[in-house]
Amino acid sequence: MKSPALAFFLLLTSSALLQPAKDSCVECHTVMEGNLQRPATLIKNDVHTASRLSCADCHGGDPQSDDPLQAMSAAKGFRGKTARTAIPKLCSTCHSDPNFMRKYRPQQRVDQFQLYQTSVHGKRLATGDTTVATCVDCHSVHDIRPVKDAASPVHPLKLPATCGHCHADKTKMARYKISTNQLDEYRTSVHWEALTKRGDLSAPNCASCHGNHGAKPPQVESVAAVCGSCHVLFEKNFALSAHKPVFTSDSGGGCVVCHSNHAIHKPSSAMLDGVKSVCTPCHESASEQGKTATRLAQSLNGLDKALIESERLLSQADKYGMEVSEAQVKLMDGKESLVKARLALHTFREGEVRKPVDAGMAIAKETLEGAKAALHEKDVRRNGLAVSVFCILLAILAIWFLIRRMESNNNGAINS
Amino acid sequence: MERHVAETNRALKTGWLEERLGLQAIRELAEHKRVPVHSSMHWYYFGGISLFLVMVQVITGILLMLYYRPTVAEAFESVRFIMTRVEFGWLIRSIHSWSANLLIFMVFVHMFSVVFTHAYRPPRELTWLTGIALLGLMMAFGFSGYLLPWNKISYFATKVGADVAASTPLIGEAIARFLRGGEDVGGATLTRFFAFHVVVLPVAAAMLLMIHLLLVQKSGMSTPPWIAASKVRQMKFFPNFLLRELMVWYCTMAVLGALAAIFPWELGEKADPFAPAPAGIRPEWYFLAQFYTLKLIPSHVLFMEGELLGIFGFGLLAVLWAGLPAWAIRKDGSARTRLVVSAAVFLVAYLVVFTILGYVK
């Protein structure tokens, strides 16, 4: 008799353990309306709920009690709505505790609060400015999702709009005297294009340059380092150039001087010469430096055009079914030379740029000749085909006449 | 002196060579061989076209072998070398590939012409059987030759082909391992496909072709049953029919040359076993109907796996088709023409529609 009783007891306890823990906060707020209902609806998608954390873990109180007065009593530790100035500290209770975080997200960093305190947002909040961003302004509240979740406001594709929510708001930014065109400018940039059109989630967004939790604008001397964290070789070459000491001085501006900051467009040799030149504000066109810039632009344009022409003819030959894969692979080397030349341009030394340009021009010439030879070969083949078909038709005609002559002379060839 | 040479030549023709080769018998055969003349005689030319394309395959294949190297490291490069560096290499390779495809098409046309003109009737059952075996061999030639350039498409198509073979019950895994020379398509597969393509299959095909031609010679050309034997006129095979066949061969040669010059057979990208399979991978067109059918069958049908059911179905169909003379002839020797024509029309419609669907989808 003992065994069935034990089994029944185990069944009861295990089913009780499998039941989700009671949460009177959700139960009550679900049947409320408007803003009071919202948290109970949103929390279903919250990453904390998935980790079995409840409302009470942030707001305090007793979620086991059905009596609102008991559940939300100060005696049970109920804190109610957290003050904006207290939000970062509240989040850090868990997120700065490595032992706690290890249970849920062992790889996640635990220095967000520390970094936040060094940020412009954190410093202003410390002075009592409650309009600056806190954790919930970026990560949302009650429906906080992992960064990788496409619905999260801090997902790479959504982050610019999240920052823009405040930084593109003229009213909010007026008191800080910060311009509000960053988001619009960023949306014209190559980085935005890479992020949204090519779907490259590693493409730079606001946080890549400004930091996320420790967000602040990069200073003049650190701009090259910020850009150089991705564009490593450009930074290395720029360090060799005569512009480096000038652009990193107080009145300089680093990479931003030529490339702008948020509206970084696809660079081209038009930046060196002509009406769009970024050199002319400092160097007269007729000056030695201005002339060098013109020559550099001509070199890069010349290589670019030669490669484009080779590619056009090679693809034409390829379309005719000619085997030009070797030349096409070679052309890739030529394109690499162009990249190297653009890279070398950042030394602003003509000799350094000429080396890859010359190498690229030699490749472009070779591949162009290959493409022309392939197209000529195509013509030869077609002419050869025409001659062959003509000869074959003559042979067929000759056989036909032979058959006719034979069968007219000898009716016995076909008999009944 | 001149008289001596002329006498020697005459002696060679009439005495020495005659004694050794028995040319008189061949002359007599050529003199007496006849071809029936009727409204459906144009179907006879398709057997000849197939024979011509086999000869093209042999000649271009031997030329390709002079430069081709059957190793993973060199196969693709050697074919590219043939196409770009060897004088007329592009033409030889393109003609080899185009004529392989035309050959299989022509063999199919030849086979269906035999069915629609009921040329499988006794005493030509063995001719039919050897013809079906030759079609199977031609498809095996195609399957083995497809991998040899070692490009991306052929590599993955061979993988798919070997996987389909692996799903045959009991012996499938063993067949697939034998084909691949291991657990996966690799260097061992390439070497053994090359060996099949240039030694095993040609020897088998040459023997079967000899038997097929001997049987055709023995039984003569079949006349469709709807043409009364008394009304059929006869044409001398040599030279009347042979000259006509020669005209058709010339036309085929012109078509082959045009295809090779205007649409050279592409080489593609070198196979990379570590790269993901490209989208829309599919076998050569002559396997497309079966491939598409297998794709349509649900993963499980009753108690059987879908793929297995498909393979059983194709196996049964092949046996039924090869055994056509057995079920198409009544005891009185007449052909069940309506049944055979209906089955053939259904088969042609299935092959055409499913090949197109397999290509489009």
Side-chain angles (χ1 to χ4, degrees):
Chain A
M1 283 298 282
K2 272 184 183 174
S3 301
L6 184 65
F8 183 66
F9 173 74
L10 283 174
L11 189 70
L12 271 181
T13 48
S14 61
S15 61
L17 283 171
L18 289 170
Q19 288 289 320
K22 179 179 173 57
D23 195 336
S24 59
C25 314
V26 176
E27 285 170 15
C28 293
H29 279 268
T30 303
V31 294
M32 291 178 178
E33 286 178 354
N35 281 344
L36 289 173
Q37 189 196 42
R38 224 171 115 75
T41 315
L42 292 176
I43 203 134
K44 288 169 194 163
N45 297 318
D46 197 292
V47 69
H48 300 101
T49 310
S51 298
R52 291 180 166 266
L53 295 172
S54 72
C55 312
D57 289 296
C58 295
H59 295 284
D62 180 9
Q64 301 295 321
S65 171
D66 286 326
D67 178 1
L69 293 174
Q70 277 293 313
M72 295 190 287
S73 72
K76 297 281 186 182
F78 183 69
R79 293 186 290 273
K81 188 176 177 180
T82 311
R84 282 185 66 79
T85 47
I87 290 171
K89 182 73 186 156
L90 175 68
C91 297
S92 76
T93 316
C94 299
H95 282 275
S96 295
D97 182 351
N99 293 324
F100 183 83
M101 289 308 293
R102 197 171 292 142
K103 285 188 268 181
Y104 301 99
R105 294 279 188 277
Q107 292 90 4
Q108 204 170 79
R109 292 172 65 157
V110 287
D111 60 350
Q112 297 95 332
F113 181 57
Q114 211 179 336
L115 285 168
Y116 180 75
Q117 286 172 309
T118 68
S119 73
V120 173
H121 298 141
K123 282 179 181 167
R124 284 196 171 273
L125 189 76
T127 62
D129 180 355
T130 55
T131 51
V132 295
T134 66
C135 313
V136 296
D137 297 299
C138 300
H139 291 277
S140 174
V141 61
H142 298 130
D143 66 338
I144 299 168
R145 295 162 190 259
V147 179
K148 284 180 184 169
D149 188 327
S152 165
V154 288
H155 182 269
L157 282 170
K158 295 225 168 136
L159 187 75
T162 301
C163 298
H165 185 69
C166 297
H167 283 275
D169 186 331
K170 283 183 181 163
T171 321
K172 279 185 185 168
M173 290 298 117
R175 61 184 288 206
Y176 303 109
K177 293 179 183 148
I178 296 176
S179 59
T180 51
N181 59 353
Q182 300 95 332
L183 182 61
D184 287 341
E185 285 193 347
Y186 174 73
R187 282 177 173 162
T188 68
S189 73
V190 282
H191 294 146
W192 171 257
E193 190 183 321
L195 182 70
T196 54
K197 289 191 183 160
R198 295 213 307 268
D200 180 359
L201 297 183
S202 68
N205 54 37
C206 315
S208 315
C209 301
H210 295 280
N212 42 19
H213 301 104
K216 57 165 68 176
Q219 301 302 307
V220 167
E221 70 275 8
S222 62
V223 168
V226 168
C227 301
S229 61
C230 295
H231 302 282
V232 182
L233 293 173
F234 287 92
E235 187 201 7
K236 202 174 155 190
N237 277 353
F238 179 68
L240 300 172
S241 80
H243 289 123
K244 164 86 176 177
V246 183
F247 284 8
T248 51
S249 67
D250 288 344
S251 57
C255 311
V256 173
V257 176
C258 301
H259 294 282
S260 169
N261 46 10
H262 301 107
I264 299 169
H265 296 147
K266 190 174 178 179
S268 73
S269 42
M271 289 170 74
L272 293 169
D273 189 34
V275 286
K276 289 184 182 171
S277 169
V278 293
C279 308
T280 44
C282 303
H283 304 288
E284 290 281 330
S285 303
S287 68
E288 193 49 46
Q289 291 87 348
K291 285 177 186 166
T292 306
T294 305
R295 283 197 301 276
L296 287 171
Q298 284 167 348
S299 296
L300 293 173
N301 282 339
L303 177 56
D304 197 20
K305 277 182 189 162
L307 291 169
I308 289 171
E309 180 61 4
S310 286
E311 190 170 27
R312 188 183 68 81
L313 289 184
L314 280 173
S315 97
Q316 204 176 330
D318 188 39
K319 220 178 279 176
Y320 284 122
M322 306 304 294
E323 175 49 45
V324 285
S325 60
E326 270 179 290
Q328 280 170 327
V329 171
K330 190 85 186 160
L331 191 70
M332 300 293 281
D333 293 341
K335 287 182 178 175
E336 199 180 303
S337 293
L338 182 60
V339 173
K340 282 181 185 167
R342 285 173 177 158
L343 179 64
L345 182 73
H346 291 77
T347 62
F348 297 97
R349 294 174 185 173
E350 205 175 353
E352 292 296 317
V353 180
R354 280 250 52 104
K355 282 184 226 166
V357 166
D358 289 346
M361 286 302 279
I363 293 169
K365 193 179 166 203
E366 190 186 330
T367 51
L368 188 74
E369 278 167 8
K372 283 180 179 168
L375 286 171
H376 174 69
E377 171 74 14
K378 184 263 302 176
D379 292 337
V380 170
R381 287 181 189 184
R382 301 224 166 162
N383 292 337
L385 172 68
V387 173
S388 309
V389 170
F390 180 72
C391 293
I392 287 171
L393 285 177
L394 276 185
I396 292 172
L397 210 62
I399 296 170
W400 187 67
F401 276 119
L402 179 66
I403 293 171
R404 273 194 67 181
R405 210 180 89 185
M406 208 168 57
E407 290 179 359
S408 63
N409 289 345
N410 177 16
N411 288 328
I414 298 177
N415 51 35
S416 52
Chain B
M1 181 66 185
E2 280 178 12
R3 195 179 146 206
H4 177 72
V5 172
E7 277 178 4
T8 312
N9 282 342
R10 203 178 307 120
L12 279 171
K13 279 180 190 166
T14 57
W16 195 87
L17 276 179
E18 181 59 50
E19 192 183 319
R20 279 151 189 83
L21 300 175
L23 294 175
Q24 184 58 29
I26 298 169
R27 268 200 294 275
E28 276 173 17
L29 184 73
E31 182 65 31
H32 293 108
K33 187 169 170 60
R34 293 288 186 271
V35 176
V37 179
H38 51 81
S39 56
S40 300
M41 74 169 292
H42 50 274
W43 292 113
Y44 294 150
Y45 295 112
F46 287 93
I49 296 173
S50 306
L51 183 65
F52 170 70
L53 291 170
V54 166
M55 291 190 288
V56 171
Q57 284 302 96
V58 172
I59 295 165
T60 52
I62 290 170
L63 291 174
L64 288 174
M65 257 204 299
L66 299 179
Y67 291 96
Y68 178 72
R69 293 171 188 169
T71 65
V72 168
E74 295 175 301
F76 181 83
E77 283 75 8
S78 65
V79 177
R80 191 165 62 190
F81 181 80
I82 289 169
M83 291 185 75
T84 55
R85 299 278 189 271
V86 178
E87 204 72 30
F88 291 108
W90 65 271
L91 184 65
I92 303 296
R93 198 241 162 177
S94 280
I95 285 188
H96 191 75
S97 303
W98 273 115
S99 103
N101 283 273
L102 276 183
L103 171 59
I104 291 178
F105 180 74
M106 290 302 169
V107 173
F108 266 109
V109 174
H110 181 48
M111 178 184 77
F112 282 108
S113 75
V114 165
V115 176
F116 286 119
T117 56
H118 305 283
Y120 51 82
R121 287 166 299 149
R124 296 184 178 82
E125 298 94 326
L126 285 177
T127 320
W128 165 261
L129 271 178
T130 50
I132 291 292
L134 276 168
L135 170 65
L137 278 181
M138 293 308 142
M139 289 170 91
F141 264 115
F143 184 63
S144 56
Y146 195 47
L147 179 71
L148 300 187
W150 198 249
N151 59 29
K152 200 193 265 185
I153 300 289
S154 68
Y155 173 81
F156 285 103
T158 305
K159 265 176 99 94
V160 172
D163 289 345
V164 170
S167 51
T168 311
L170 301 173
I171 51 167
E173 274 303 325
I175 292 173
R177 202 173 296 117
F178 173 70
L179 282 175
R180 294 188 292 234
E183 290 304 316
D184 211 345
V185 174
T189 323
L190 185 63
T191 351
R192 62 183 53 199
F193 269 43
F194 179 66
F196 291 141
H197 195 75
V198 304
V199 181
V200 181
L201 294 173
V203 169
M207 289 197 302
L208 265 176
L209 192 61
M210 291 282 281
I211 297 169
H212 190 74
L213 292 175
L214 277 173
L215 289 169
V216 171
Q217 171 56 31
K218 187 177 177 302
S219 310
M221 308 283 216
S222 163
T223 311
W226 58 83
I227 295 170
S230 58
K231 289 183 181 172
V232 175
R233 293 185 301 153
Q234 299 288 327
M235 177 194 286
K236 285 175 89 175
F237 177 83
F238 183 85
N240 302 56
F241 184 80
L242 194 63
L243 282 173
R244 284 174 169 82
E245 185 79 62
L246 199 61
M247 284 166 68
V248 176
W249 287 11
Y250 266 122
C251 288
T252 312
M253 195 194 282
V255 170
L256 266 182
L259 286 171
I262 300 171
F263 308 107
W265 204 265
E266 65 171 17
L267 179 58
E269 283 176 53
K270 186 175 180 173
D272 178 3
F274 299 108
I281 193 85
R282 56 181 167 225
E284 283 277 67
W285 63 269
Y286 38 88
F287 292 117
L288 262 183
Q290 296 93 312
F291 179 70
Y292 187 65
T293 311
L294 287 176
K295 271 173 76 174
L296 284 187
I297 300 174
S299 62
H300 278 87
V301 180
L302 298 175
F303 56 91
M304 274 183 102
E305 273 187 36
E307 202 165 77
L308 198 61
L309 181 73
I311 289 168
F312 263 130
F314 292 135
L316 191 66
L317 193 68
V319 170
L320 277 174
W321 194 245
L324 175 76
W327 55 264
I329 305 298
R330 293 191 190 91
K331 280 181 183 171
D332 63 3
S334 62
R336 292 189 170 92
T337 50
R338 195 172 291 176
L339 175 69
V340 172
V341 169
S342 306
V345 166
F346 177 77
L347 190 59
V348 171
Y350 161 72
L351 288 174
V352 171
V353 172
F354 275 62
T355 301
I356 292 169
L357 286 175
Y359 200 80
V360 174
K361 296 199 171 178

Short mmCIF file of all heavy atoms in Angstrom, two decimals, chain B residues 70-89:
data_model
loop_
_atom_site.label_atom_id
_atom_site.label_comp_id
_atom_site.label_asym_id
_atom_site.label_seq_id
_atom_site.Cartn_x
_atom_site.Cartn_y
_atom_site.Cartn_z
N PRO B 70 43.06 13.05 -64.76
CA PRO B 70 41.94 12.71 -63.84
C PRO B 70 42.30 12.79 -62.35
O PRO B 70 42.15 11.81 -61.63
CB PRO B 70 41.60 11.28 -64.25
CG PRO B 70 42.90 10.72 -64.72
CD PRO B 70 43.69 11.84 -65.29
N THR B 71 42.78 13.92 -61.90
CA THR B 71 43.02 14.08 -60.47
C THR B 71 42.30 15.34 -59.99
O THR B 71 42.08 16.26 -60.79
CB THR B 71 44.52 14.23 -60.14
OG1 THR B 71 44.99 15.45 -60.71
CG2 THR B 71 45.34 13.07 -60.65
N VAL B 72 41.98 15.35 -58.70
CA VAL B 72 41.26 16.50 -58.14
C VAL B 72 42.06 17.79 -58.36
O VAL B 72 41.49 18.85 -58.67
CB VAL B 72 40.99 16.25 -56.64
CG1 VAL B 72 40.51 17.52 -55.96
CG2 VAL B 72 39.98 15.15 -56.46
N ALA B 73 43.37 17.69 -58.23
CA ALA B 73 44.21 18.89 -58.34
C ALA B 73 44.31 19.40 -59.76
O ALA B 73 44.52 20.59 -59.98
CB ALA B 73 45.59 18.60 -57.78
N GLU B 74 44.18 18.47 -60.75
CA GLU B 74 44.49 18.89 -62.12
C GLU B 74 43.33 18.80 -63.11
O GLU B 74 43.42 19.35 -64.20
CB GLU B 74 45.64 18.02 -62.67
CG GLU B 74 46.95 18.22 -61.93
CD GLU B 74 48.01 17.26 -62.42
OE1 GLU B 74 47.77 16.04 -62.33
OE2 GLU B 74 49.05 17.72 -62.90
N ALA B 75 42.25 18.10 -62.74
CA ALA B 75 41.17 17.86 -63.70
C ALA B 75 40.61 19.17 -64.26
O ALA B 75 40.58 19.39 -65.48
CB ALA B 75 40.05 17.05 -63.04
N PHE B 76 40.18 20.06 -63.37
CA PHE B 76 39.57 21.32 -63.81
C PHE B 76 40.58 22.14 -64.63
O PHE B 76 40.25 22.64 -65.71
CB PHE B 76 39.12 22.11 -62.59
CG PHE B 76 38.45 23.41 -62.92
CD1 PHE B 76 37.11 23.46 -63.25
CD2 PHE B 76 39.17 24.61 -62.90
CE1 PHE B 76 36.50 24.66 -63.56
CE2 PHE B 76 38.57 25.81 -63.21
CZ PHE B 76 37.23 25.84 -63.54
N GLU B 77 41.80 22.22 -64.11
CA GLU B 77 42.83 23.01 -64.78
C GLU B 77 43.16 22.44 -66.16
O GLU B 77 43.39 23.19 -67.11
CB GLU B 77 44.11 23.08 -63.93
CG GLU B 77 44.04 24.03 -62.76
CD GLU B 77 43.20 23.52 -61.60
OE1 GLU B 77 42.77 22.35 -61.64
OE2 GLU B 77 42.94 24.30 -60.66
N SER B 78 43.17 21.09 -66.25
CA SER B 78 43.51 20.50 -67.55
C SER B 78 42.41 20.76 -68.57
O SER B 78 42.70 21.01 -69.74
CB SER B 78 43.80 19.00 -67.41
OG SER B 78 42.64 18.32 -67.01
N VAL B 79 41.14 20.75 -68.13
CA VAL B 79 40.05 21.05 -69.07
C VAL B 79 40.13 22.53 -69.49
O VAL B 79 39.95 22.87 -70.66
CB VAL B 79 38.66 20.72 -68.45
CG1 VAL B 79 37.54 21.11 -69.41
CG2 VAL B 79 38.57 19.25 -68.13
N ARG B 80 40.47 23.39 -68.52
CA ARG B 80 40.61 24.82 -68.86
C ARG B 80 41.78 25.01 -69.84
O ARG B 80 41.70 25.81 -70.76
CB ARG B 80 40.84 25.65 -67.60
CG ARG B 80 40.73 27.13 -67.88
CD ARG B 80 40.58 27.95 -66.66
NE ARG B 80 41.73 27.81 -65.79
CZ ARG B 80 41.78 28.29 -64.55
NH1 ARG B 80 40.74 28.90 -64.04
NH2 ARG B 80 42.85 28.14 -63.81
N PHE B 81 42.84 24.22 -69.62
CA PHE B 81 43.99 24.28 -70.52
C PHE B 81 43.56 23.88 -71.93
O PHE B 81 43.91 24.53 -72.91
CB PHE B 81 45.09 23.36 -69.99
CG PHE B 81 46.34 23.35 -70.81
CD1 PHE B 81 47.28 24.37 -70.67
CD2 PHE B 81 46.58 22.35 -71.73
CE1 PHE B 81 48.43 24.37 -71.45
CE2 PHE B 81 47.72 22.34 -72.51
CZ PHE B 81 48.65 23.35 -72.37
N ILE B 82 42.77 22.81 -71.99
CA ILE B 82 42.28 22.34 -73.31
C ILE B 82 41.49 23.45 -73.99
O ILE B 82 41.65 23.72 -75.18
CB ILE B 82 41.40 21.07 -73.12
CG1 ILE B 82 42.26 19.89 -72.72
CG2 ILE B 82 40.61 20.76 -74.40
CD1 ILE B 82 41.48 18.67 -72.26
N MET B 83 40.65 24.13 -73.19
CA MET B 83 39.75 25.13 -73.78
C MET B 83 40.44 26.44 -74.13
O MET B 83 39.97 27.18 -74.97
CB MET B 83 38.59 25.40 -72.83
CG MET B 83 37.65 24.22 -72.73
SD MET B 83 36.25 24.62 -71.73
CE MET B 83 35.30 25.64 -72.85
N THR B 84 41.54 26.75 -73.45
CA THR B 84 42.15 28.06 -73.68
C THR B 84 43.51 28.00 -74.38
O THR B 84 43.90 28.94 -75.04
CB THR B 84 42.34 28.81 -72.35
OG1 THR B 84 43.08 27.99 -71.46
CG2 THR B 84 41.01 29.18 -71.72
N ARG B 85 44.23 26.91 -74.21
CA ARG B 85 45.60 26.87 -74.75
C ARG B 85 45.78 25.91 -75.93
O ARG B 85 46.55 26.19 -76.83
CB ARG B 85 46.58 26.46 -73.64
CG ARG B 85 46.61 27.41 -72.46
CD ARG B 85 47.50 28.60 -72.75
NE ARG B 85 47.69 29.40 -71.54
CZ ARG B 85 46.88 30.38 -71.16
NH1 ARG B 85 45.82 30.68 -71.90
NH2 ARG B 85 47.11 31.07 -70.07
N VAL B 86 45.07 24.79 -75.90
CA VAL B 86 45.25 23.78 -76.95
C VAL B 86 44.56 24.25 -78.23
O VAL B 86 43.42 24.73 -78.17
CB VAL B 86 44.68 22.42 -76.50
CG1 VAL B 86 44.82 21.38 -77.60
CG2 VAL B 86 45.37 21.95 -75.23
N GLU B 87 45.28 24.13 -79.34
CA GLU B 87 44.72 24.54 -80.64
C GLU B 87 43.42 23.75 -80.92
O GLU B 87 43.45 22.51 -80.92
CB GLU B 87 45.77 24.26 -81.72
CG GLU B 87 45.63 25.09 -82.97
CD GLU B 87 46.04 26.56 -82.77
OE1 GLU B 87 46.91 26.85 -81.92
OE2 GLU B 87 45.48 27.39 -83.46
N PHE B 88 42.34 24.43 -81.12
CA PHE B 88 41.01 23.85 -81.37
C PHE B 88 40.50 22.99 -80.21
O PHE B 88 39.57 22.21 -80.37
CB PHE B 88 40.98 23.04 -82.68
CG PHE B 88 41.10 23.91 -83.90
CD1 PHE B 88 42.27 23.91 -84.64
CD2 PHE B 88 40.06 24.74 -84.27
CE1 PHE B 88 42.40 24.74 -85.75
CE2 PHE B 88 40.18 25.57 -85.38
CZ PHE B 88 41.36 25.58 -86.11
N GLY B 89 41.14 23.15 -79.05
CA GLY B 89 40.72 22.39 -77.86
C GLY B 89 39.29 22.73 -77.49
O GLY B 89 38.50 21.86 -77.12
#
